Amino acid sequence: MNPVTTASHMLIGGDLVASESGDWIDSIDPATEEVIGRIPAGNARDVARAVEAADRAWAAWNGIGVAARAEALRAFGRKILERADELLEVEVRDTGNTIAPMRGDVRTGVEGINYYAGLAYELKGETIPATPGNLHFTVREPYGVVARIVPFNHPVMFSTARTAAALMAGNSVVVKPPETSSLSALILSEIAREALPPGVFNIVTGTGAGAGAPLVRHPGVKRIAFIGSVETGMAIQRMAAESAVKHVTLELGGKNPLIAFPDVDPATVIDAAIAGMNFSWQGQSCGSTSRLLLHESIHDEVVAGLVERIRAIRVGDPMDPASQMGAINSKNQHDKVLRHIAAAREDGARLLAGGGRPDGEQFRKGFWIQPTLFGDVEQSMRIARQEVFGPVLSVMKWSTLDQAIAIANATDLGLTASIYANNIDDAFAAARRVRSGYVWINSVGPHYPAMPYGGMKNSGTGREEGIEEMLSYTEQKAYNLAMRK
């Protein structure tokens, strides 16, 4: 084993600890299949200890007030930035994502922390004129213990930016990182131990069954937030309901459309299609626009250009800044993507680029798949309906707006959508009708500050990244004061 970090323990109640069982899980570099570290194999007893520690901590954390919490979170962010280079290298080696765009992940995580610290004084209630002469008002109180379950595509960013709202609202947090990419969480454990009071921020590593399920089922966890697949999200809803009535928010998968109108320059559409697929992290993003809906008048020119561009994407060592695409996160995910590619070919989609392992000695080991393009995709095909979560783009053709909207809305997912049109009336006509929670017009990919992010249909419940997320980690308490005079 060639460890990429000396960090080796998870964080429970302010202590850096191994699993109670003494068991460990190897971390595998997706680009080489080498063991680059190990994480504690947390179990139900570790989860129980973390929840108990969080339960002991949250009241005092809430009691210090919003200004003190905001300053503590900003200090946490500064400590994270001090180890940004270390976190970046570990994250790239552990996820397979390319280093150039991943440079922003640590910064984005800290920006999320600072954003919610800046919203401290928005944790306010309301006065309500329910009756004359009396006083009726509400306050917001934290849930107490919050669980945050993190996906493998951006572990450190989601462990920070997506816990900040809960912490700012006065909750304590138990983070369950992804079992395939948890090494950065071990570094984060060391940082949080220095920066935050014991028990306020806890990390339990392990498998979904070993640590994730006990966390979801724990009756002391009232509030759960998850980013990941639809199947796991639905399982979390079921498990949560088995032990208590809980508030669960889910940001789940997407089979997201990019609709290109005939008045858009084909070169612009090609650039957008490449950007929207997030090839820099192998298409492993819930928001990737993996269905390209082209008007028939520009279809052939765009497809020809896409074939050339996709074949030219430089697949290589994720640590090389020149690499434009890295390795799939794990063997399980690699095999899943290959099954989707095989199903697309079986259903009659036309393979235009990619579809297999890249050529070359460096790709003999590792979880590599070429950037892949399918044409002649019909709605009846599985590739048109099922999320791949990999570097696979499907092209579909339309002739009328009604047809484009029907294709766009024909899946049970609705996370993002992108509309490209020079005519603003066309753009808004499409945007209003598409059933997606986050819509770009003449752009694709960015998450904008304070804009609520989340999906419709089976793409999830709740919204994140704005003030709505922070308020969702509070409960309203109503006071009714009857005046005697």
Side-chain angles (χ1 to χ4, degrees):
M1 181 172 69
N2 185 22
V4 295
T5 177
T6 59
S8 58
H9 289 78
M10 53 191 185
L11 181 65
I12 296 178
D15 295 323
L16 297 173
V17 298
S19 172
E20 182 269 349
S21 69
D23 294 334
W24 300 84
I25 299 171
D26 287 341
S27 290
I28 306 298
D29 183 336
T32 63
E33 299 184 52
E34 296 175 348
V35 177
I36 56 173
R38 63 178 192 170
I39 62 171
N43 58 30
R45 292 183 293 276
D46 297 310
V47 167
R49 289 164 53 214
V51 173
E52 289 165 7
D55 191 46
R56 290 192 301 269
W58 75 264
W61 172 247
N62 182 54
I64 66 175
V66 295
R69 288 202 301 278
E71 182 50 41
L73 289 179
R74 292 187 182 100
F76 182 34
R78 290 192 291 271
K79 289 286 188 183
I80 292 170
L81 290 177
E82 289 174 5
R83 298 180 70 173
D85 290 343
E86 178 187 2
L87 283 164
L88 172 64
E89 180 178 355
V90 168
E91 196 84 325
V92 171
R93 292 289 303 278
D94 205 23
T95 63
N97 296 339
T98 55
I99 192 168
M102 288 296 283
R103 290 187 188 281
D105 268 30
V106 175
R107 183 180 67 251
T108 299
V110 173
E111 287 173 352
I113 291 171
N114 291 334
Y115 170 73
Y116 285 106
L119 289 178
Y121 291 101
E122 294 303 310
L123 287 161
K124 55 194 178 187
E126 300 173 307
T127 57
I128 300 163
T131 62
N134 299 315
L135 183 60
H136 307 272
F137 63 95
T138 65
V139 298
R140 291 190 175 273
E141 296 188 356
Y143 277 99
V145 180
V146 169
R148 166 57 75 173
I149 303 175
V150 176
F152 64 69
N153 52 348
H154 300 285
V156 74
M157 183 180 75
F158 287 135
S159 294
T160 50
R162 298 279 68 78
T163 58
L167 292 167
M168 190 61 247
N171 301 280
S172 55
V173 174
V174 180
V175 177
K176 162 58 179 70
E179 63 192 79
T180 60
S181 304
S182 284
L183 292 179
S184 63
L186 306 183
I187 300 172
L188 199 60
S189 292
E190 296 181 349
I191 299 169
R193 182 173 183 258
E194 292 182 15
L196 295 171
V200 168
F201 193 91
N202 306 273
I203 295 176
V204 180
T205 57
T207 66
L215 181 59
V216 169
R217 288 194 174 103
H218 197 293
V221 178
K222 175 79 175 190
R223 177 74 171 86
I224 301 168
F226 169 75
I227 300 174
S229 71
V230 173
E231 294 77 13
T232 304
M234 293 173 70
I236 285 172
Q237 286 183 316
R238 289 192 298 270
M239 288 187 288
E242 292 172 358
S243 62
V245 176
K246 304 190 179 197
H247 180 180
V248 179
T249 52
L250 307 167
E251 194 262 271
L252 305 177
K255 193 69 181 177
N256 309 299
L258 189 158
I259 304 174
F261 278 75
D263 61 351
V264 181
D265 183 352
T268 298
V269 177
I270 292 167
D271 288 343
I274 297 293
M277 265 306 299
N278 296 308
F279 284 114
S280 295
W281 41 89
Q282 303 73 252
Q284 295 170 139
S285 172
C286 296
S288 295
T289 46
S290 58
R291 289 186 297 154
L292 178 60
L293 280 54
L294 297 174
H295 188 268
E296 59 187 5
S297 66
I298 61 171
H299 174 275
D300 292 352
E301 184 176 353
V302 170
V303 168
L306 274 175
V307 170
E308 183 178 342
R309 286 282 299 278
I310 286 176
R311 287 176 175 170
I313 290 173
R314 179 173 176 177
V315 181
D317 180 2
M319 290 297 297
D320 183 351
S323 294
Q324 297 173 308
M325 194 176 108
I328 302 297
N329 181 263
S330 67
K331 185 179 188 306
N332 284 343
Q333 186 63 25
H334 176 266
D335 293 349
K336 176 184 172 184
V337 174
L338 289 179
R339 287 195 297 272
H340 280 290
I341 291 173
R345 301 182 75 170
E346 181 181 317
D347 290 346
R350 185 160 58 101
L351 181 63
L352 300 173
R357 183 178 289 269
D359 295 328
E361 184 64 30
Q362 74 177 100
F363 302 115
R364 291 187 183 277
K365 297 194 71 175
F367 311 129
W368 300 98
I369 294 177
Q370 297 166 309
T372 298
L373 178 67
F374 278 106
D376 298 337
V377 175
E378 302 292 338
Q379 191 55 46
S380 60
M381 299 176 182
R382 285 166 286 181
I383 197 68
R385 295 178 280 109
Q386 298 173 355
E387 182 184 37
V388 176
F389 214 70
V392 181
L393 176 61
S394 300
V395 179
M396 308 175 78
K397 187 188 298 186
W398 59 275
S399 57
T400 68
L401 178 58
D402 286 346
Q403 185 182 15
I405 297 302
I407 295 170
N409 291 337
T411 76
D412 62 357
L413 302 173
L415 184 55
T416 71
S418 176
I419 315 294
Y420 271 77
N422 288 331
N423 184 311
I424 196 65
D425 292 331
D426 288 340
F428 269 98
R432 281 193 299 267
R433 294 174 63 185
V434 73
R435 294 289 294 163
S436 299
Y438 202 86
V439 180
W440 297 282
I441 297 176
N442 292 330
S443 68
V444 63
H447 290 221
Y448 294 101
M451 288 297 291
Y453 188 86
M456 296 178 174
K457 299 186 281 187
N458 277 354
S459 286
T461 60
R463 294 295 183 269
E464 297 182 337
E465 302 184 19
I467 192 171
E468 298 86 355
E469 181 180 359
M470 184 175 71
L471 299 182
S472 80
Y473 289 104
T474 65
E475 298 184 278
Q476 283 188 304
K477 180 182 284 187
Y479 289 84
N480 300 282
L481 176 58
M483 307 300 289
R484 295 180 178 177
K485 292 185 181 180

